């Protein structure tokens, strides 16, 4: 995904350490959001949201609607500024190749975003569905499950283990560590004592 | 020195846009060995406005042309540079902290006594006009596409959207009219 050159979001950037916008950038983003908020509800409905993403990204309709459903936490058919801000940070992280850093810094919100049904578990289907958001490749996902799917049911990663997974994602996905060391680290941090 | 230059520029009829006063005033300052990058870093460290931060974001992108946006967004930078240069002229500065404090103090005193001081203070708290122009133009494009895709022309939401777009267009043309004249 690439942001449209010359668009407003194209001019924004994330703080490279915390992967968030500065206060002044948030202010500008808020102005932008209010301009798009045609009906003065402090929200964007699905039509406006679709046209916004269609204008500034190269995503297709199906991808845009997947993102909308992911962000529409209350199933109201509308997106508020909090969700809009989160989305913009994800877009900018992808644009600037900061996906790894973003997931590391915001593992909890990312986990909650991926955990659509609120079961505090993420399966392979979640990752497949959202790999266009974080650029997680299929082979890397396969390796991760090979290393961490202890129970063999193709689901793992309960909420308390999200931070451990984040570390492992950073190490495994981006080719900086060996699986054996990661498993040892996982065992040492497993607070649930299920292993 | 800086205030006298401003007054002389103000009297000239060719400088109708007050923003040009600051930009051109600083050109009359004697050249000092202060690299622009240092001044940019100093002003960013002081928590400058979105204009300068956004411009730093602009510079990260390859192939970006310093068009109208770049020129207008340099307004904030020129203001800061003017104050910093002014403080250098007055005395020898040993520490960076003294420079920053004196520049901020001289900036405040200048903003109170220079023409259109209240205008510049207000501008500090608002988004730069060129950025708002980008934001409004883009919002207008997105909303116009959304309007074309609506299936129910008589639906109250469609009509609301149509009226809103017309209001945005009127506001934009009014602003363009003011900028030109």
């Amino acid at each position: 995904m690439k942001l449209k050159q010359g668009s407003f979001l194209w001019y924004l950037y994330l703080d490279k350490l915390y992967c968030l916008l500065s206060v002044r950038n948030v202010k500008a983003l808020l102005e932008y959001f209010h301009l798009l908020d045609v009906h003065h509800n402090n929200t964007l409905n699905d039509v406006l949201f679709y046209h916004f993403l269609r204008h500034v990204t190269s995503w297709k309709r199906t991808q845009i609607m997947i993102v909308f459903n992911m962000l529409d936490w209350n199933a109201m058919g509308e997106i508020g500024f909090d969700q809009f801000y989160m989305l913009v940070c994800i877009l900018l992280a992808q644009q600037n190749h900061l996906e790894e850093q973003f997931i590391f810094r915001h593992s909890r919100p990312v986990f909650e975003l991926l955990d659509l049904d609120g079961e505090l578990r993420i399966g392979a289907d979640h990752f497949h569905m959202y790999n266009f958001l974080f650029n997680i490749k299929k082979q890397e996902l396969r390796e991760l499950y090979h290393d961490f799917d202890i129970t063999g049911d193709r689901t793992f990663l309960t909420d308390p283990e999200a931070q451990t997974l984040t570390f492992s994602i950073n190490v495994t996905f981006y080719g900086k560590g060996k699986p054996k060391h990661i498993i040892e680290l996982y065992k040492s941090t497993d607070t649930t004592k299920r292993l | 020195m800086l205030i006298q230059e401003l007054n002389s520029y103000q009297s000239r009829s060719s400088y109708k846009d007050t923003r040009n006063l600051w930009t051109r005033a600083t050109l009359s300052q004697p050249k000092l060995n202060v690299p622009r990058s240092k001044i940019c870093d100093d002003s960013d460290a002081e928590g400058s406005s979105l204009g300068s931060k956004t411009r730093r974001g602009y510079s990260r992108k390859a192939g970006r042309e310093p068009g109208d946006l770049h020129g207008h967004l340099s307004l904030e930078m020129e203001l800061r540079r003017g104050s910093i240069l002014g403080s250098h002229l007055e005395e020898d500065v040993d520490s960076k902290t003294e420079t920053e404090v004196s520049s901020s103090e001289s900036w405040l005193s200048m903003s109170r006594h220079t023409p259109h001081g209240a205008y510049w203070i207000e501008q500090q708290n608002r988004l730069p006009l060129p950025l708002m122009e980008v934001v409004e133009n883009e919002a207008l494009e997105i909303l116009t596409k959304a309007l074309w895709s609506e299936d129910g022309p008589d639906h109250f939401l469609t009509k609301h959207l149509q009226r809103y777009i017309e209001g945005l267009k009127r506001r934009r043309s009014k602003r363009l009219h003011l900028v030109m004249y």
Side-chain angles (χ1 to χ4, degrees):
Chain A
M1 190 282 302
K2 283 287 171 194
L3 287 175
K4 182 179 172 184
Q5 193 163 349
S7 62
F8 170 60
L9 293 192
W10 187 72
Y11 288 111
L12 300 182
Y13 59 94
L14 293 180
D15 173 86
K16 285 203 170 178
L17 186 57
Y18 298 105
C19 292
L20 292 171
L21 294 176
S22 66
V23 172
R24 291 190 186 273
N25 279 356
V26 171
K27 188 179 168 185
L29 188 67
L30 190 59
E31 291 286 335
Y32 184 68
F33 181 82
H34 283 151
L35 279 173
L36 293 175
D37 175 25
V38 172
H39 307 297
H40 306 293
N41 293 332
N42 286 325
T43 58
L44 298 184
N45 60 29
D46 53 345
V47 173
L48 297 170
F49 184 82
Y50 167 77
H51 285 283
F52 157 68
L53 277 182
R54 196 86 177 109
H55 183 83
V56 302
T57 70
S58 50
W59 283 342
K60 298 169 194 164
R61 176 177 272 274
T62 45
Q63 289 171 320
I64 293 172
M65 296 323 293
I66 284 170
V67 172
F68 182 82
N69 292 332
M70 180 184 75
L71 295 174
D72 184 14
W73 301 333
N74 301 327
M76 299 283 289
E78 293 173 328
I79 300 294
F81 182 71
D82 289 346
Q83 295 93 331
F84 185 76
Y85 173 67
M86 178 83 168
L87 171 65
V88 167
C89 290
I90 293 172
L91 290 174
L92 291 173
Q94 209 183 114
Q95 174 77 2
N96 297 304
H97 308 292
L98 291 172
E99 299 97 331
E100 171 190 353
Q101 186 76 358
F102 184 84
I103 294 174
F104 176 70
R105 284 289 171 186
H106 309 293
S107 54
R108 180 64 180 261
V110 168
F111 183 93
E112 288 175 355
L113 274 181
L114 298 181
D115 181 24
L116 262 188
D117 41 18
E119 285 183 353
L120 298 183
R121 299 182 76 82
I122 297 174
D125 52 343
H126 292 96
F127 282 110
H128 283 308
M129 192 187 291
Y130 298 113
N131 65 357
F132 67 92
L133 271 180
F134 298 110
N135 276 332
I136 301 174
K137 301 202 173 39
K138 275 186 185 173
Q139 179 57 30
E140 290 159 341
L141 207 55
R142 222 174 276 137
E143 285 170 10
L144 183 72
Y145 272 91
H146 179 263
D147 295 333
F148 285 94
D149 185 15
I150 309 296
T151 56
D153 60 355
R154 303 289 288 171
T155 66
F156 57 83
L157 311 171
T158 59
D159 187 40
E161 294 152 5
Q163 286 209 349
T164 309
L165 171 69
T166 305
F167 178 80
S168 67
I169 286 174
N170 293 338
V171 176
T172 307
F173 282 175
Y174 299 95
K176 292 175 189 160
K178 294 185 193 266
K180 186 179 173 184
H181 297 158
I182 294 165
I183 290 173
E184 291 301 320
L185 175 70
Y186 184 73
K187 282 182 183 171
S188 68
T189 56
D190 177 29
T191 56
T192 62
K193 309 292 181 199
R194 291 184 305 132
L195 291 177
Chain B
M1 176 71 175
L2 185 59
I3 295 172
Q4 286 165 0
E5 288 289 341
L6 286 175
N7 287 335
S8 66
Y9 278 121
Q10 194 188 10
S11 61
R12 295 182 200 176
S13 58
S14 59
Y15 294 94
K16 299 220 167 115
D17 189 354
T18 53
R19 286 172 293 180
N20 285 335
L21 293 177
W22 289 98
T23 307
R24 290 182 185 273
T26 53
L27 292 175
S28 65
Q29 295 295 324
K31 289 180 186 173
L32 294 178
N33 293 327
V34 180
R36 189 181 174 89
S37 58
K38 182 182 182 302
I39 295 165
C40 291
D41 289 342
D42 288 347
S43 64
D44 285 337
E46 290 169 4
S48 58
S49 74
L50 175 61
S52 59
K53 269 209 180 284
T54 311
R55 199 167 71 135
R56 191 167 69 168
Y58 297 157
S59 63
R60 291 182 188 186
K61 303 288 183 182
R64 198 174 295 168
E65 301 266 345
D68 289 338
L69 265 170
H70 184 85
H72 284 108
L73 286 169
S74 66
L75 170 65
E76 169 83 12
M77 295 306 302
E78 295 295 342
L79 291 172
R80 294 266 177 187
R81 190 169 75 162
S83 65
I84 291 168
L85 289 174
S87 65
H88 275 291
L89 283 173
E90 287 168 10
E91 57 185 339
D92 290 333
V93 178
D94 291 326
S95 67
K96 188 177 171 181
T97 310
E98 283 179 13
T99 308
E100 288 174 0
V101 169
S102 64
S103 66
S104 61
E105 284 171 354
S106 62
W107 158 247
L108 281 173
S109 62
M110 265 199 299
S111 64
R112 287 193 195 109
H113 297 112
T114 52
H116 311 288
Y119 169 77
W120 295 118
I121 291 171
E122 192 196 346
Q123 288 301 307
Q124 294 305 306
N125 297 324
R126 294 174 63 178
L127 295 174
L129 289 175
L131 184 63
M132 277 313 297
E133 204 174 309
V134 170
V135 166
E136 278 189 3
N137 287 342
E138 187 165 304
L140 208 50
E141 275 183 56
I142 293 169
L143 295 174
T144 307
K145 285 179 190 171
L147 182 65
W148 290 341
S149 73
E150 291 288 343
D151 290 332
D154 297 327
H155 196 275
F156 77 97
L157 289 176
T158 309
K159 287 182 180 175
H160 191 197
L161 177 59
Q162 200 166 6
R163 283 197 300 271
Y164 184 86
I165 290 171
E166 283 162 13
L168 268 185
K169 283 181 180 170
R170 273 198 301 272
R171 204 166 84 182
R172 185 177 65 165
S173 56
K174 203 173 166 183
R175 194 185 64 247
L176 285 172
H177 187 76
L178 283 172
V179 165
M180 282 169 63
Y181 296 104

